[in-house]
Amino acid sequence: FFVLLFSMSSISREKFLKFLQTLEFMWGINIIKETKPPSAVQPGVNPPLEMYPRPEKWSEVESAVAETKKAFSKAGIPVEDIKKAKEIILRLPADYLFAEGSCIPNKQYLPLLKKVCDILKKLHAPIRIEGHTDNKPIYRYPKIVDNWDLSLLRTIYVAKYFIRWGFPEDKISVAGYADTQPVAPNTTPEGRAKNRRIDIVIFVGAEKI
């Protein structure tokens, strides 16, 4: 109220501002607020840069997946692709890539795996190689004790080949799930064959609108 009465009196703007500054100092409150109209970016000042990687375009990843499927199709190997919210899964049947109970890729299919690596590394997108098995018990001492060992060791060997072929180490990870994520019933040979697989998860991200 005192400030209101004081402001109604005839006083210069400079003296009034000085008075308010005194009140601010004594009462510890913020009275004076200078506002400036919004202005465009000043000449010679660059706008702030985005410090995060640009999400890969879906069209680029889909094209790479189609190229990979075409290469495997020529070799007579069926390959699936599964699209999710921010990723595409490239599903490879493990029975072609590995002998039964083995974690080392078959040499005859290494050129195909290298083809996959060469295609995916052009995307500059992170990937995760996932191993899956059926529920048939396995025991091959000392390296492979169960399906957990088998599923993980298979992905490790594939990842090591990818890194040898030039895929960036900081953009690749591995995971082994044994028989915990079946895509078909394990009650038939056909279902178990579908569950024995290597999934290459390509993280696409979201398109900017």
Side-chain angles (χ1 to χ4, degrees), residues 124-140:
H124 305 288
I127 67 171
R128 182 176 65 244
I129 302 176
E130 300 178 348
H132 301 268
T133 68
D134 59 18
N135 64 350
K136 184 179 178 181
I138 185 172
Y139 183 81
R140 296 198 174 181

Side-chain angles (χ1 to χ4, degrees), residues 15-170:
K15 291 183 179 180
F16 181 61
L17 289 177
K18 186 174 182 180
F19 171 74
L20 292 181
Q21 290 173 356
T22 302
L23 293 181
E24 284 184 344
F25 176 77
M26 295 178 62
W27 294 349
I29 59 175
N30 186 16
I31 300 176
I32 304 174
K33 292 184 179 179
E34 294 186 7
T35 58
K36 296 181 179 180
S39 59
V41 178
Q42 297 180 0
V45 178
N46 296 326
L49 299 176
E50 295 179 346
M51 301 304 294
Y52 50 86
R54 176 184 65 87
E56 300 300 321
K57 293 182 178 180
W58 278 95
S59 57
E60 294 177 0
V61 180
E62 288 174 343
S63 177
V65 169
E67 187 178 354
T68 301
K69 292 178 65 177
K70 184 178 180 181
F72 274 82
S73 179
K74 288 182 178 180
I77 301 177
V79 173
E80 297 181 66
D81 62 289
I82 298 93
K83 297 180 179 64
K84 293 191 175 181
K86 294 184 178 181
E87 62 192 35
I88 295 181
I89 301 174
L90 192 62
R91 181 156 293 167
L92 313 177
D95 288 353
Y96 289 90
L97 303 177
F98 303 91
E100 183 179 0
S102 174
C103 61
I104 301 176
N106 292 325
K107 291 184 178 180
Q108 67 183 102
Y109 294 114
L110 288 181
L112 277 176
L113 283 177
K114 187 177 185 302
K115 177 74 172 177
V116 177
C117 176
D118 292 339
I119 294 172
L120 296 184
K121 69 184 180 182
K122 295 177 183 178
L123 297 173
H124 305 288
I127 67 171
R128 182 176 65 244
I129 302 176
E130 300 178 348
H132 301 268
T133 68
D134 59 18
N135 64 350
K136 184 179 178 181
I138 185 172
Y139 183 81
R140 296 198 174 181
Y141 182 83
K143 182 177 289 188
I144 300 174
V145 175
D146 53 24
N147 283 321
W148 287 102
D149 290 340
L150 181 63
S151 62
L152 182 57
L153 286 173
R154 284 179 169 179
T155 64
I156 291 174
Y157 272 95
V158 172
K160 284 184 175 180
Y161 273 111
F162 271 43
I163 293 171
R164 184 185 303 176
W165 294 325
F167 201 94
E169 291 186 55
D170 60 339

Side-chain angles (χ1 to χ4, degrees), residues 168-200:
E169 291 186 55
D170 60 339
K171 289 184 177 294
I172 190 169
S173 59
V174 298
Y177 295 99
D179 61 337
T180 62
Q181 297 185 9
V183 293
N186 279 305
T187 54
T188 64
E190 294 78 14
R192 289 193 295 271
K194 288 184 178 180
N195 292 329
R196 297 189 296 268
R197 67 193 191 274
I198 295 292
D199 287 349
I200 300 178

